[in-house]
Every structure is written in structure tokens, then in C-alpha cells.
Amino acid sequence: MSTVELKSNIIKLVEDIQNDELLESLLEFLSKRKDSASGDMWSDLTPAQRQEVLDAYQESEEEKNLVVKDQLFRLL
């Protein structure tokens, strides 16, 4: 998928979000990413946040823990 297609798909997904809290979280996430000089967000995380990411990744390795994208966005 090209960069233009990726951006377009992200914009479409964001436009469908009706949850203000989620939109604020996305804005904060994207702003931090843009403001990070090195682009290395990992170094900006606390040890607890890093562990949370690693735990989530490990959980995602088990297929039973995965959620269909459409099902996820219905929850938002």
C-alpha cells in the first residue's frame, strides 16, 4: 500500500470515530510522535508503559485474543 493510500485510510477511520476521548488520545499520540526529535517513542515511555506494550504484544501472539477490526471500531 502506498503512503497516499495509507494516509487516506487513516483519515477515513478517524472521520468515523465519534468518541472524543479516543480522538484526544489519537491527537496526543500523533503529536508526541511528531514532536519526538529522534522518532523513537520507546525511549519516551516509562518502564510501566513499556511493560504494558510488551504484554499487549505477547497477548496478540495468541489468535484467541485477536479482535476483528470491524468489531473493534463498533466498540468505539
Side-chain angles (χ1 to χ4, degrees), residues 5-70:
E5 290 172 314
L6 289 170
K7 288 180 179 182
S8 177
N9 288 340
I10 290 169
I11 290 168
K12 287 176 188 174
L13 290 172
V14 170
E15 286 176 341
D16 290 339
I17 296 172
Q18 300 300 315
N19 182 318
D20 287 346
E21 187 175 326
L22 176 58
L23 289 169
E24 288 174 11
S25 295
L26 282 169
L27 178 61
E28 181 180 341
F29 171 79
L30 293 171
S31 295
K32 281 186 178 184
R33 178 75 175 156
K34 183 183 78 171
D35 294 340
S36 178
S38 67
D40 180 20
M41 294 177 63
W42 188 256
S43 62
D44 295 337
L45 298 176
T46 66
Q49 290 171 320
R50 289 179 185 178
Q51 189 58 52
E52 199 171 327
V53 170
L54 293 172
D55 291 344
Y57 178 77
Q58 187 174 15
E59 287 177 18
S60 75
E61 292 292 305
E62 295 182 36
E63 193 169 325
K64 68 178 182 155
N65 293 330
L66 300 179
V67 177
V68 179
K69 177 181 72 171
D70 294 339

